[in-house]
Amino acid sequence: MDMDAFSAVNADKWSRLHELAYKGRLSGPEADELLTLYQSTSSHLSLIRSLAPESGLSASLSATLAQARTRFTGARSNVMEDLARFFVVALPAAFYRLTWLTLACGAAFVLIGAAYALWIGTSPEALRAVASEAAAKQYVEEDFIDYYSENPAASFAGAVWTNNAWISAQAVALGITGVWVPMILFSNAQGVGIAAGIFAAAGKSDVFYSYILPHGLMELTAVFIACAAGLRIFWAMVSPGPRTRGRAVAEEGRSLITVALGLVLVLFVSGLVEGFVTPSALPVWAKIAIGAAVLAAYWLYVFACGRPAYLAGECGDLRREDAGYSEIAV
């Protein structure tokens, strides 16, 4: 089929459909005309997609048809219904589908961090390479602990939240490079491992873990989730499967935007723990218990809401018709 000739023949109909789809109010005859044009253009789009599925014309007609469909079907749901679906279906399903990759990122982090902690904590030469004796002593006795209490709890929690949300956003957005996620995992594991090693060398590992665990359990898990999301986008580009590469990346990108939005909330909670619980006068066991409860609540949410939604076909992406990948049969 000659696509140029086909477009020339039907351009007026498509233009008229676009005009009616975006018109403020429609008369009765115009509404009938909109439906007729919608039916014919749907057939045209199916034919075009069979020949050039990723063309600009295909995308343009798909958007016009979506707008036309909205005009004669009305709004899908109200705001409260959309919010409920996001938190009960889309978000937990998006988190759940990243479960194993999240655990893999966590395992890699723990292994790297443990290796650095063991090396720094048992090798005087390695310890001297990262900090002088005076600097290590000041870090253990003052700097590390003061970090959590030198600013008001509210402002500190806000700063932590912003910083961690930025790190997670980078992991999701730049994961497609295939380099950024390993770099973030390694650098953060290295930093935590070196800090643990310095405390271990001073015989104060209990102090280190009493400060890092209350908020770190959820905070680090959020980083692992973000890294898993970034790796999903990268793998969609490398191995799209039966989908076109553009469609695979688009689908993963939309569903992982859902993850990024959810992580903002997750990191807000961990920021509150770091700002108000970690430096508090609570017993160590109580602070760690609060951190563990936050982490347990996350996994309960993921498995209780996310697993059923995921098994039902949800992945955090838009509905297929909203994404423009399918049309109503007419």
Side-chain angles (χ1 to χ4, degrees), residues 206-207 209-215 217 273 277-278 280-294:
D206 58 329
V207 175
Y209 291 111
S210 71
Y211 276 87
I212 204 73
L213 287 179
H215 64 275
L217 291 171
V273 174
V277 176
T278 297
S280 73
L282 289 171
V284 172
W285 66 265
K287 292 192 286 187
I288 295 177
I290 291 173
V294 171

Side-chain angles (χ1 to χ4, degrees), residues 165-181:
W166 172 239
I167 292 174
S168 298
Q170 287 179 316
V172 175
L174 301 177
I176 195 170
T177 64
V179 175
W180 200 258
V181 167

Side-chain angles (χ1 to χ4, degrees), residues 22 45 48-49 52-66 323-324:
Y22 287 91
L45 179 59
I48 292 170
R49 280 186 169 164
E54 301 297 327
S55 66
L57 178 59
S58 174
S60 175
L61 289 180
S62 180
T64 300
L65 285 169

Side-chain angles (χ1 to χ4, degrees), residues 29 77 90 92 128 135 162 236 263 277 288:
S77 61
R128 285 194 297 269
T162 303
L263 286 178
V277 176
I288 295 177

Side-chain angles (χ1 to χ4, degrees), residues 115-137 139-140 190-201:
Y116 269 95
L118 181 63
W119 180 40
I120 301 297
T122 59
S123 171
E125 294 80 7
L127 179 60
R128 285 194 297 269
V130 298
S132 66
E133 182 177 348
K137 182 178 180 180
Y139 179 73
V140 170
Q190 181 186 48
V192 172
I194 290 175
I198 293 174
F199 272 85

Side-chain angles (χ1 to χ4, degrees), residues 5-307:
F6 184 75
S7 299
V9 170
N10 295 287
D12 290 342
K13 294 180 180 178
W14 299 339
S15 177
R16 178 59 175 167
L17 175 64
H18 185 276
E19 177 186 344
L20 293 174
Y22 287 91
K23 188 175 181 179
R25 294 179 63 88
L26 297 176
S27 65
E30 286 176 333
D32 291 338
E33 183 182 7
L34 174 67
L35 181 57
T36 300
L37 290 172
Y38 174 85
Q39 293 173 330
S40 62
T41 305
S42 294
S43 300
H44 297 163
L45 179 59
S46 297
L47 180 59
I48 292 170
R49 280 186 169 164
S50 67
L51 300 173
E54 301 297 327
S55 66
L57 178 59
S58 174
S60 175
L61 289 180
S62 180
T64 300
L65 285 169
Q67 175 63 22
R69 182 167 58 249
T70 300
R71 294 302 305 273
F72 59 73
T73 60
R76 184 184 70 249
S77 61
N78 60 40
V79 174
M80 296 308 297
E81 289 174 341
D82 286 339
L83 284 175
R85 182 182 183 278
F86 176 81
F87 286 109
V88 178
V89 178
L91 179 59
F95 279 152
Y96 179 81
R97 70 194 292 260
L98 296 174
T99 295
W100 291 110
L101 200 50
T102 298
L103 295 176
C105 290
F109 181 96
V110 169
L111 289 174
I112 295 170
Y116 269 95
L118 181 63
W119 180 40
I120 301 297
T122 59
S123 171
E125 294 80 7
L127 179 60
R128 285 194 297 269
V130 298
S132 66
E133 182 177 348
K137 182 178 180 180
Q138 181 175 344
Y139 179 73
V140 170
E141 296 181 356
E142 298 179 25
D143 294 349
F144 182 81
I145 297 172
D146 291 346
Y147 167 75
Y148 294 100
S149 56
E150 62 186 359
N151 294 307
S155 61
F156 178 63
V160 167
W161 177 33
T162 303
N163 178 68
N164 291 331
W166 172 239
I167 292 174
S168 298
Q170 287 179 316
V172 175
L174 301 177
I176 195 170
T177 64
V179 175
W180 200 258
V181 167
M183 185 182 71
I184 287 177
L185 273 178
F186 182 84
S187 62
N188 280 274
Q190 181 186 48
V192 172
I194 290 175
I198 293 174
F199 272 85
K204 294 186 176 182
S205 291
D206 58 329
V207 175
F208 174 76
Y209 291 111
S210 71
Y211 276 87
I212 204 73
L213 287 179
H215 64 275
L217 291 171
M218 188 68 256
E219 181 179 279
L220 290 175
T221 299
V223 173
F224 304 153
I225 296 166
C227 289
L231 290 175
R232 284 295 299 235
I233 297 179
F234 170 69
W235 192 247
M237 182 182 69
V238 172
S239 180
R243 302 171 293 181
T244 64
R245 184 164 280 103
R247 176 167 176 170
V249 172
E251 288 178 350
E252 290 295 339
R254 286 194 304 270
S255 65
L256 297 178
I257 286 174
T258 299
V259 172
L261 292 174
L263 286 178
V264 171
L265 301 177
V266 171
L267 289 168
F268 175 71
V269 175
S270 69
L272 291 178
V273 174
E274 187 168 1
F276 291 92
V277 176
T278 297
S280 73
L282 289 171
V284 172
W285 66 265
K287 292 192 286 187
I288 295 177
I290 291 173
V294 171
L295 180 63
Y298 166 79
W299 286 113
L300 178 63
Y301 169 68
V302 169
F303 277 89
C305 297
R307 187 172 187 274

